[in-house]
């Protein structure tokens, strides 16, 4: 039996899938402690149901998900509004060094993924799907880029990318604690830390959410998406292959920085971030609920090998490179544990790793200042460029 869902029904189903994830996360401690997004939990559970239906021949879903791309572009537009050059300049050297580590890891993840794919006689683009788009980028970036890989002939790239992103969300926590404890003991770091006052934010206190600004923030997102489509069309006409959201992302960044430097208008980042969270949730739910798990059957063993290699890479890179680049002190250890999260998962995962570590030892305001700026704002820009470069080389 084939079940065809219209556009509205598909969106409604994505919300149902989200609530399935909420229920599962509420009832399973493992999911909560590992910060698995509810959309990932629900989407994966639903994809298992569709897998059973497909394999038994009992039922199969066909989704009309043409609006998924709209939600994806809207989300990355909100990310673009976070890219403030003024903030990056103010943050200084610690942010730059961690950004350098993050960029280095992203490049390494793609090299390892593509290299292993070639060794295993797979399409190199499948290897790229296990690289930085799914690890450093997380589910959002994986869901955005993977369909492009499929259009280039990498069948099953979306399933591989989302499976990698889900795996990374779990492993990013499991390796962070042991690695951080090892560094602390090896270098006897418990007596070294910076004063909190050095890294406390001097930003204005957050104001209560003003409903009158919701329309303004929404219009700012729509305007950036419109300008971004023109940028994307221009680049496409010039023969430059980029994901559809890149133009909107850059347009939003330009609008944000123009506001920062001129003061001519205000960007309501608090509201934009709320809208970003909503659009990402719907986008992920729509992506994950259409998982075709049966496409993984022929890739099972190679995928396991590539995932284990990516795990070894993040552990080794964080231990030997991130720790040294960020100062070789206690704050560097906390940032290293955070890098295991945002370099192999998401920024919330990074913060969860750091919170667990600082609860055991003592606070690290420097780490909690640096990681959200890089993991939550700037790395998405750099990672998109890195992924695009690899795609164009391999295609």
């Amino acid at each position: 039996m084939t079940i065809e869902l219209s556009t509205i029904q598909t969106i409604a189903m994505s919300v149902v899938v989200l609530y399935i994830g909420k229920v599962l996360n509420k009832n399973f401690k493992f999911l909560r402690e590992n910060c698995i997004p509810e959309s990932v939990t629900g989407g994966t559970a639903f994809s298992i149901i569709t897998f059973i239906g497909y394999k038994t021949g009992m039922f199969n879903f066909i989704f009309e998900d043409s609006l998924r791309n709209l939600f994806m572009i809207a989300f990355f537009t909100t990310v673009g509004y976070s890219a403030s050059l003024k903030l990056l300049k103010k943050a200084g050297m610690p942010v730059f060094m961690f950004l350098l580590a993050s960029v280095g890891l992203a490049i390494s993840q793609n090299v390892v993924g593509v290299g292993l794919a070639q060794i295993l006689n797979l399409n190199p683009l499948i290897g790229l799907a296990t690289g930085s788009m799914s690890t450093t980028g997380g589910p959002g970036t994986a869901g955005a880029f993977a369909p492009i890989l499929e259009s280039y002939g990498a069948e099953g790239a979306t399933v591989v990318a989302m499976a990698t992103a889900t795996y990374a969300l779990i492993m990013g926590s499991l390796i962070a604690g042991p690695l951080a404890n090892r560094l602390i003991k090896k270098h006897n770091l418990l007596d070294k830390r910076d004063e909190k006052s050095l890294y406390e934010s001097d930003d204005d206190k957050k104001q209560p959410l003003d409903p009158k600004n919701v329309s303004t923030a929404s219009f700012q997102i729509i305007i950036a998406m419109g300008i971004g489509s023109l940028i994307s069309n221009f680049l496409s006409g010039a023969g430059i292959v980029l994901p559809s959201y890149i133009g909107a992302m850059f347009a939003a960044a330009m609008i944000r920085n123009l506001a920062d430097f001129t003061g001519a208008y205000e960007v309501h980042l608090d509201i934009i971030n709320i809208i970003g969270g909503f659009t990402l949730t719907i986008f992920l739910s729509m992506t994950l609920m259409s998982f075709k798990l049966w496409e993984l059957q022929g890739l099972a063993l190679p995928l396991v090998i590539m995932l284990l290699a990516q795990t070894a890479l993040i552990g080794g890179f964080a231990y030997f490179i991130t720790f040294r680049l960020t100062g070789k002190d206690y704050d560097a250890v906390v940032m290293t544990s955070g890098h295991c999260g945002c370099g192999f998962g998401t920024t919330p995962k990074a913060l969860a790793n750091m919170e667990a570590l600082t609860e055991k030892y003592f606070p690290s305001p420097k780490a909690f200042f640096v990681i959200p700026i890089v993991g939550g704002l700037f790395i998405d820009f750099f990672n998109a460029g890195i992924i695009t470069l690899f795609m164009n080389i391999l295609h």
Side-chain angles (χ1 to χ4, degrees), residues 10 19 38 42 55 59 66 72 85 96 131 158 206 224 326 334 377 387:
T10 297
Y19 276 98
E38 293 160 345
K55 296 300 289 186
F59 58 88
S66 58
M72 177 194 71
L85 294 177
F96 174 77
T158 298
K206 289 185 178 180
T326 52
V334 180
L377 307 183
I387 298 166

Side-chain angles (χ1 to χ4, degrees), residues 110 128 132-133 145 148 152 240-243 245-246 381-395:
N110 291 329
L128 189 60
S132 68
M133 71 170 63
F145 274 96
I148 300 176
Y152 289 167
I240 302 174
V241 179
L242 292 170
Y245 70 78
I246 292 293
F381 268 96
F382 287 89
N383 193 29
I386 293 166
I387 298 166
T388 301
L389 175 63
F390 274 83
M391 279 198 313
N392 283 276
I393 291 174
L394 296 172
H395 177 51

Side-chain angles (χ1 to χ4, degrees), residues 46-118:
F46 189 82
S47 68
I48 293 173
I49 295 173
T50 59
F51 175 76
I52 295 172
Y54 175 84
K55 296 300 289 186
T56 60
M58 294 177 62
F59 58 88
N60 184 37
F61 285 95
I62 297 178
F63 300 103
E64 174 25 63
D65 58 356
S66 58
L67 287 182
R68 181 174 65 178
N69 198 50
L70 177 66
F71 286 110
M72 177 194 71
I73 295 173
F75 163 67
F76 281 102
T77 303
T78 66
V79 172
Y81 272 111
S82 299
S84 168
L85 294 177
K86 191 174 180 181
L87 178 60
L88 180 59
K89 182 179 178 181
K90 175 183 174 183
M93 188 57 67
V95 167
F96 174 77
M97 296 307 292
F98 186 75
L99 179 59
L100 182 63
S102 299
V103 170
L105 175 63
I107 294 172
S108 301
Q109 288 167 333
N110 291 329
V111 170
V112 168
V114 171
L116 278 175
Q118 292 177 325

Side-chain angles (χ1 to χ4, degrees), residues 299-318:
L299 292 169
L301 180 58
L303 180 59
V304 169
I305 293 172
M306 289 189 284
L307 292 180
L308 291 176
Q310 292 290 356
T311 305
L313 172 63
I314 179 63
F317 193 99

Side-chain angles (χ1 to χ4, degrees), residues 68-346:
R68 181 174 65 178
N69 198 50
L70 177 66
F71 286 110
M72 177 194 71
I73 295 173
F75 163 67
F76 281 102
T77 303
T78 66
V79 172
Y81 272 111
S82 299
S84 168
L85 294 177
K86 191 174 180 181
L87 178 60
L88 180 59
K89 182 179 178 181
K90 175 183 174 183
M93 188 57 67
V95 167
F96 174 77
M97 296 307 292
F98 186 75
L99 179 59
L100 182 63
S102 299
V103 170
L105 175 63
I107 294 172
S108 301
Q109 288 167 333
N110 291 329
V111 170
V112 168
V114 171
L116 278 175
Q118 292 177 325
I119 292 172
L120 296 168
N121 293 318
L122 297 175
N123 187 329
L125 293 174
I126 290 294
L128 189 60
T130 68
S132 68
M133 71 170 63
S134 308
T135 49
T136 290
T141 304
F145 274 96
I148 300 176
L149 301 185
E150 292 207 0
S151 71
Y152 289 167
E155 184 179 349
T158 298
V159 181
V160 170
M162 298 308 293
T164 302
T166 303
Y167 168 85
L169 283 167
I170 298 172
M171 290 305 299
S173 279
L174 296 182
I175 66 176
L179 186 148
N181 286 323
R182 168 66 178 164
L183 284 171
I184 288 173
K185 292 177 181 178
K186 180 179 178 180
H187 297 279
N188 192 27
L189 299 175
L190 293 183
D191 295 329
K192 302 175 183 179
R193 58 172 169 164
D194 287 306
E195 293 297 323
K196 183 177 180 180
S197 59
L198 293 175
Y199 294 96
E200 284 182 326
S201 174
D202 59 357
D203 292 337
D204 294 333
K205 293 182 178 179
K206 289 185 178 180
Q207 299 296 321
L209 191 66
D210 187 349
K212 293 185 296 184
N213 294 329
V214 174
S215 294
T216 302
S218 302
F219 294 153
Q220 289 171 339
I221 293 172
I222 293 171
I223 289 172
M225 290 172 66
I227 296 174
S229 68
L230 298 177
I231 295 174
S232 294
N233 289 340
F234 172 78
L235 293 175
S236 178
I240 302 174
V241 179
L242 292 170
S244 56
Y245 70 78
I246 292 293
M249 204 172 176
F250 275 106
M254 289 188 290
I255 295 172
R256 166 67 190 273
N257 284 283
L258 188 62
D260 284 350
F261 287 104
T262 66
Y265 52 90
E266 183 180 358
V267 172
H268 302 286
L269 198 59
D270 52 347
I271 300 173
I272 285 175
N273 286 337
I274 292 173
I275 297 173
F278 166 76
T279 53
L280 175 61
T281 297
I282 298 298
F283 165 61
L284 285 179
S285 291
M286 293 180 73
T287 299
L288 287 159
M289 72 184 189
S290 59
F291 244 23
K292 296 178 180 178
L293 287 176
W294 51 90
E295 293 181 355
L296 279 178
Q297 287 179 297
L299 292 169
L301 180 58
L303 180 59
V304 169
I305 293 172
M306 289 189 284
L307 292 180
L308 291 176
Q310 292 290 356
T311 305
L313 172 63
I314 179 63
F317 193 99
Y319 189 91
F320 292 107
I321 298 178
T322 304
F323 175 66
R324 285 167 171 75
L325 281 178
T326 52
K328 296 190 293 185
D329 55 11
Y330 174 75
D331 291 314
V333 171
V334 180
M335 284 187 275
T336 297
S337 73
H339 201 189
C340 290
C342 61
F344 216 54
T346 61

